[in-house]
Amino acid sequence: MTADAGIDPSRRIPPSEQPARLDALEAAVRARTPLVPEVGIVLGSGLGGLADDLEDAVAIPFAELPGWPAATAPGHVGRLLLGRLGGRAVAMLQGRFHLYEGNDPGLVVQPVLLFRRLGARVAFLTNAAGGLDPSFGPGTLMAVTDHINLTGRNPLIGGNAASIGERFTDLTNAWSPRLRERLRAAAAAEGVRLAEGVYVGLTGPNYETPAEVRMLAALGGHAVGMSTVLEAIAARWAGLEVVGVSLVTNAGAGYSGEPLTHEEVLAAGAEAGPRLARVIRRFVAELE
Ligand code: HPA
């Protein structure tokens, strides 16, 4: 069954419409599995391999979920999976909805809202990013300590849905210090180096200019990408604890003098992805 026909992903979805949409999404998932995830994990570019570690997995292509278009970004498969990772029940998004594909912010954040609706308490957000900190070479894993939303968009604009969250969402500790501590412990136990820093989210799809990279670094950013910030905002709105890692696939534009390519982003993701997968698996297995 494909529900994709006639979907306009740019159609505006205010917060007030999310509950009805989540009703339909929840019903579609529950028709396939009763599994109640503890954690919802979004797998960014090149990180899709973690989905192979899932046990007893039920995989649902995006296009078979009501209101969801098929994922279009290269390197993104576009499936929601439910199963067990390290013995714990999780939901995974293999691929995500990006603003640069023309998706409305309300659609971009629907997967994390669905995680919450299915029972998850924690959202684990991952992404591929460019390094703004000059010490971050390709393959650096960066625990996200905070973010700067420079997309100019916000998923919470429009009538609020009080059944999901409050009108004015606090983002003081949006990226949970408690979970980041657990993440550091998981990385250390796996012998994986984990940097920390601030993720800057832009819409893309172009990579930044060298001047923009210098500006974003001066603003306090350590990594830059085209996702994650709207998801983190919506997750906090819905009461999820948020933790995340940027996989730095390349130095920011202008640092190396060479042009950036999507191929190098995917190659660095393929190299570092398995390292991050080990950290995530242990983090989930040892979550309290
Ligand atoms: N900029 C923005 N997004 C990215 C980059 C980058 O350099 N690398 C991977 N995703």
Side-chain angles (χ1 to χ4, degrees):
M1 181 197 69
T2 296
D4 173 67
I7 287 174
D8 173 8
S10 69
R11 192 184 160 282
R12 194 139 153 57
I13 306 172
S16 54
E17 274 186 28
Q18 296 287 12
R21 288 173 173 261
L22 291 167
D23 288 346
L25 286 162
E26 184 184 15
V29 172
R30 289 294 168 234
R32 307 227 193 177
T33 173
L35 189 122
V36 175
E38 298 178 71
V39 183
I41 307 169
V42 179
L43 303 172
S45 297
L47 296 169
L50 189 61
D52 298 336
D53 293 353
L54 215 52
E55 290 149 28
D56 307 324
V58 173
I60 312 174
F62 287 172
E64 293 180 17
L65 287 162
W68 286 17
T72 63
H76 289 261
V77 176
R79 301 189 298 174
L80 174 71
L81 299 103
L82 290 102
R84 293 190 177 278
L85 184 71
R88 310 291 284 268
V90 301
M92 267 186 201
L93 203 68
Q94 198 178 18
R96 54 153 54 96
F97 301 123
H98 298 89
L99 288 172
Y100 63 71
E101 294 164 294
N103 296 313
D104 184 76
L107 179 63
V108 170
V109 303
Q110 234 163 45
V112 294
L113 297 179
L114 180 59
F115 289 162
R116 179 75 193 88
R117 177 63 81 91
L118 294 173
R121 298 267 156 200
V122 170
F124 198 127
L125 306 177
T126 70
N127 55 62
L132 298 172
D133 183 320
S135 75
F136 290 179
T140 299
L141 299 178
M142 183 194 87
V144 179
T145 58
D146 203 349
H147 75 239
I148 300 176
N149 174 16
L150 288 185
T151 66
R153 312 294 297 276
N154 194 302
L156 307 186
I157 289 175
N160 190 41
S163 62
I164 299 179
E166 295 174 359
R167 169 83 296 184
F168 300 108
T169 300
D170 173 57
L171 296 180
T172 308
N173 281 316
W175 294 85
S176 163
R178 179 186 87 87
L179 293 181
R180 200 156 62 249
E181 184 52 45
R182 315 277 322 170
L183 188 63
R184 275 195 292 264
E190 290 292 333
V192 170
R193 201 178 87 79
L194 192 63
E196 290 198 341
V198 174
Y199 176 90
V200 181
L202 307 179
T203 65
N206 58 281
Y207 294 117
E208 299 68 40
T209 64
E212 287 166 346
V213 165
R214 291 192 299 273
M215 175 190 77
L216 298 174
L219 288 178
H222 300 95
V224 57
M226 308 174 190
S227 66
T228 305
V229 291
L230 302 190
E231 295 158 21
I233 291 168
R236 290 307 296 145
W237 174 56
L240 285 156
E241 270 192 289
V242 178
V243 64
V245 176
S246 291
L247 194 171
V248 176
T249 53
N250 56 277
Y255 284 155
S256 78
E258 297 295 322
L260 305 186
T261 66
H262 186 59
E263 287 66 35
E264 75 177 301
V265 168
L266 293 182
E271 181 278 315
R275 246 187 303 139
L276 178 52
R278 269 166 42 217
V279 175
I280 295 176
R281 174 193 266 276
R282 184 181 283 268
F283 171 87
V284 167
E286 297 180 353
L287 198 61
E288 279 162 6

